[in-house]
């Protein structure tokens, strides 16, 4: 039995936390598992899954993703990361004292590789990392060299979640694609018989980078034009500190809803946190994933298992998670283009059934729970 330590840095629950939990379900059978995670909805979720959680104040990171690299005032964020880095050295000492020995450490986000040197020093030399978003490959040459150096020296294996992420890896010889782990659903959405109104769905946190604000504006326009299309919104706004809300009042979800009279749009329904995915997906005909991250999120894959096609914020189709004839794409942040894609399904209802079936057939081939878990475990065993 090996001792495996996973490090997850987002306190707010996300698809990355969900995917990690489903992988751990199998790993727990033959290994001792612990997850380091800041206190929040993610840590609560892990505990609900009967996973041992080691709470942390914060986990230092260095972001050089295509959608979020440091520039302008964003460089000030590094002050926080430096403080967290000093704190995390102390935290690793406590973890070492508590667990005695650790065989493998896995970083659940690639931005965490900056802590690989201290993990290497205090805990273990066997370190792997997930790559869940596209890296910036043209800007910040010095930063790219810095990240590549750490990857080559301290990371044994990088696990990309799809071809889009793999192609931006700075160390492709160390990188391997392992698709997210999803458990196939027994209940499938039957989209043959539509109600009068087609229902689109969104599920996720109410953050501007998730594209939810653009989506709501698009459906406000649909409401004003009296087009019979509905939107079902699952999720919650993320709690922020008073200081953050004061400095970013324009990003506050409640302020946005009030300012744009979204609450007056009868075609938009908010249902809060989604605890039953079967129930949510059974009520929608098309999923919309309007994220600014230019990547395919977990909801796209989940909906595919219900034979539901998606509209994805993505610059280009790929050959695995966002294929033609199974989804539509639009330029992230382009509300007009998003609006046009929504109307496409409204005008071509038969495409919902056709593309939903294509999405399902693609998903069951790529996201097999047993196959992908076994591949992930084999990679860890070979570190």
């Amino acid at each position: 039995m090996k001792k495996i330590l996973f490090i997850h840095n987002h306190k707010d629950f996300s698809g990355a936390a969900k995917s990690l939990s489903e992988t751990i379900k199998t790993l727990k059978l033959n290994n001792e598992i612990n997850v380091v995670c800041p206190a929040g909805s993610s840590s609560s979720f892990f505990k609900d899954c009967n996973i041992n959680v080691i709470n942390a104040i914060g986990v230092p990171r260095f972001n050089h993703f295509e959608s979020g690299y440091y520039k302008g005032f964003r460089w000030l964020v590094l002050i926080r990361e430096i403080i967290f880095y000093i704190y995390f050295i102390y935290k690793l000492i406590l973890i070492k004292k508590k667990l005695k020995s650790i065989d493998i450490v896995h970083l659940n986000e690639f931005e965490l590789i900056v802590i690989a040197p201290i993990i290497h020093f205090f805990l273990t030399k066997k370190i792997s990392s997930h790559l869940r978003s596209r890296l910036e490959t043209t800007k910040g040459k010095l930063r790219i060299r810095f990240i590549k150096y750490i990857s080559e020296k301290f990371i044994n294996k990088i696990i990309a979640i799809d071809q889009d992420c793999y192609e931006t890896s700075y160390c492709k010889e160390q990188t391997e694609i392992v698709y997210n782990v999803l458990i196939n659903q027994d209940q499938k959405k039957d989209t043959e018989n539509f109600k009068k109104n087609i229902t689109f769905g969104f599920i996720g946190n109410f953050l501007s980078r998730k594209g939810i604000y653009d989506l709501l504006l698009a459906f406000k326009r649909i409401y004003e034009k009296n087009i019979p299309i509905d939107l079902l919104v699952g999720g919650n706004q993320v709690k922020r500190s008073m200081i953050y809300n004061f400095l970013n009042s324009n990003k506050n979800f409640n302020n946005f809803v009030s300012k744009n009279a979204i609450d007056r749009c009868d075609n938009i329904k908010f249902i809060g946190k989604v605890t039953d995915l079967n129930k949510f997906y059974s009520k929608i005909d098309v999923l919309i994933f309007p994220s600014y991250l230019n990547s395919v999120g977990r909801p796209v894959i989940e909906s595919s298992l219900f034979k539901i096609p998606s509209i994805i914020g993505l610059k280009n189709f790929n050959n695995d998670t966002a294929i033609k004839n199974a989804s539509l794409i639009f330029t992230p942040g382009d509300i007009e283009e998003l609006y046009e894609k929504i109307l496409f399904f409204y005008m071509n209802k038969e495409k919902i059934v056709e593309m939903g079936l294509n999405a399902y057939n693609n998903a069951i081939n790529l996201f097999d729970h047993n196959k992908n878990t076994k591949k992930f475990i084999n990679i860890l065993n070979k570190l």
Side-chain angles (χ1 to χ4, degrees):
M1 177 177 287
K2 293 183 178 180
K3 287 186 178 181
I4 305 175
L5 182 69
F6 290 88
I7 300 180
H8 180 80
N9 63 307
H10 292 296
K11 67 176 183 178
D12 301 317
F13 178 75
S14 65
K18 177 70 172 177
S19 296
L20 177 60
S21 72
E22 294 193 348
T23 300
I24 289 176
K25 283 180 184 178
T26 303
L27 281 170
K28 282 172 61 180
L29 300 176
N30 299 298
N31 300 278
E32 179 183 327
I33 305 296
N34 289 276
V35 176
V36 177
C37 180
S41 55
S42 286
S43 63
S44 296
F45 170 76
F46 289 135
K47 290 175 183 177
D48 290 342
C49 295
N50 296 315
I51 298 171
N52 296 327
V53 176
I54 300 173
N55 284 328
I57 296 174
V59 182
R61 55 185 170 173
F62 188 84
N63 188 330
H64 199 55
F65 293 129
E66 187 180 86
S67 60
Y69 57 89
Y70 299 110
K71 55 183 177 180
F73 285 109
R74 282 211 69 206
W75 280 104
L76 295 176
V77 175
L78 284 182
I79 297 174
R80 180 193 65 185
E81 306 307 333
I82 292 171
I83 295 172
F84 279 166
Y85 206 94
I86 296 170
Y87 156 78
F88 209 73
I89 292 174
Y90 170 70
K91 189 66 180 181
L92 288 182
I93 294 173
L94 295 181
I95 292 173
K96 175 72 172 180
K97 185 177 181 180
K98 177 181 179 180
L99 301 181
K100 306 302 181 184
S101 64
I102 296 172
D103 297 302
I104 299 169
V105 172
H106 180 76
L107 308 172
N108 202 34
E109 299 280 3
F110 191 72
E111 60 190 344
L112 301 181
I113 68 164
V114 289
I115 59 176
I118 55 176
I119 291 172
H120 187 274
F121 182 81
F122 288 106
L123 300 182
T124 180
K125 294 180 181 179
K126 295 183 178 182
I127 307 169
S128 58
S129 175
H130 251 96
L131 176 57
R132 299 184 181 275
S133 299
R134 290 175 58 87
L135 294 169
E136 174 58 44
T137 57
T138 58
K139 299 176 182 178
K141 296 295 185 182
L142 189 60
R143 280 170 275 176
I144 293 173
R145 288 172 58 188
F146 168 68
I147 294 171
K148 186 175 181 180
Y149 169 78
I150 292 179
S151 299
E152 292 177 339
K153 188 169 180 64
F154 298 106
I155 303 296
N156 301 106
K157 180 65 78 171
I158 299 169
I159 299 173
I161 64 169
D162 57 26
Q163 184 66 35
D164 275 347
C165 293
Y166 174 83
E167 69 180 18
T168 66
S169 175
Y170 305 143
C171 306
K172 287 187 174 60
E173 67 280 358
Q174 293 172 239
T175 307
E176 191 168 345
I177 296 176
V178 179
Y179 295 106
N180 278 329
V181 172
L182 285 93
I183 299 174
N184 203 351
Q185 306 292 332
D186 293 327
Q187 302 178 30
K188 303 297 186 300
K189 167 77 175 176
D190 182 4
T191 54
E192 292 290 350
N193 299 308
F194 296 108
K195 305 183 296 297
K196 179 181 179 181
N197 291 16
I198 294 178
T199 301
F200 291 76
F202 170 92
I203 183 170
N205 292 327
F206 298 167
L207 297 169
S208 59
R209 68 173 181 269
K210 297 287 187 178
I212 178 64
Y213 295 179
D214 295 344
L215 179 59
L216 293 176
L217 290 176
F219 270 84
K220 178 184 177 182
R221 181 177 175 185
I222 288 169
Y223 174 74
E224 292 171 342
K225 290 181 176 291
N226 293 314
I227 304 173
I229 305 175
D230 293 333
L231 175 66
L232 192 66
V233 181
N236 294 302
Q237 62 175 312
V238 176
K239 293 181 179 180
R240 299 296 192 188
S241 66
M242 291 179 62
I243 295 176
Y244 179 92
N245 287 330
F246 176 77
L247 296 176
N248 299 274
S249 60
N250 61 316
K251 293 183 179 181
N252 181 276
F253 185 75
N254 288 335
N255 291 346
F256 172 84
V257 169
S258 177
K259 179 180 178 181
N260 292 281
I262 300 299
D263 50 344
R264 299 178 187 175
C265 299
D266 294 336
N267 63 334
I268 301 174
K269 182 179 180 181
F270 295 93
I271 60 172
K273 181 180 178 181
V274 175
T275 56
D276 187 339
L277 291 178
N278 284 323
K279 186 176 181 180
F280 174 78
Y281 286 119
S282 69
K283 292 182 177 180
I284 69 171
D285 303 303
V286 179
L287 178 92
I288 303 181
F289 189 77
S291 170
Y292 285 11
L293 301 182
N294 189 35
S295 60
V296 178
R298 184 183 177 88
V300 174
I301 314 307
E302 290 175 340
S303 63
S304 297
L305 295 176
F306 288 85
K307 301 180 181 178
I308 295 173
S310 300
I311 299 175
I312 311 166
L314 200 65
K315 294 178 181 177
N316 298 292
F317 285 105
N318 58 39
N319 59 6
D320 49 16
T321 55
I323 61 173
K324 292 181 179 180
N325 300 320
S327 59
L328 297 179
I329 62 173
F330 71 98
T331 305
D334 191 326
I335 300 177
E336 181 63 31
E337 197 174 340
L338 170 59
Y339 175 78
E340 291 173 358
K341 302 301 180 181
I342 295 169
L343 290 188
F344 172 84
F345 279 123
Y346 172 67
M347 300 295 292
N348 302 275
K349 296 181 179 64
E350 72 283 355
K351 285 292 184 179
I352 297 178
V353 178
E354 176 188 329
M355 295 174 72
L357 182 60
N358 292 338
Y360 173 76
N361 290 332
N362 183 57
I364 59 174
N365 289 327
L366 289 182
F367 302 99
D368 180 83
H369 178 273
N370 293 328
K371 180 177 69 175
N372 293 339
T373 300
K374 183 178 180 181
K375 188 174 182 179
F376 183 81
I377 292 173
N378 286 340
I379 288 174
L380 295 187
N381 287 334
K382 292 177 181 178
L383 293 180

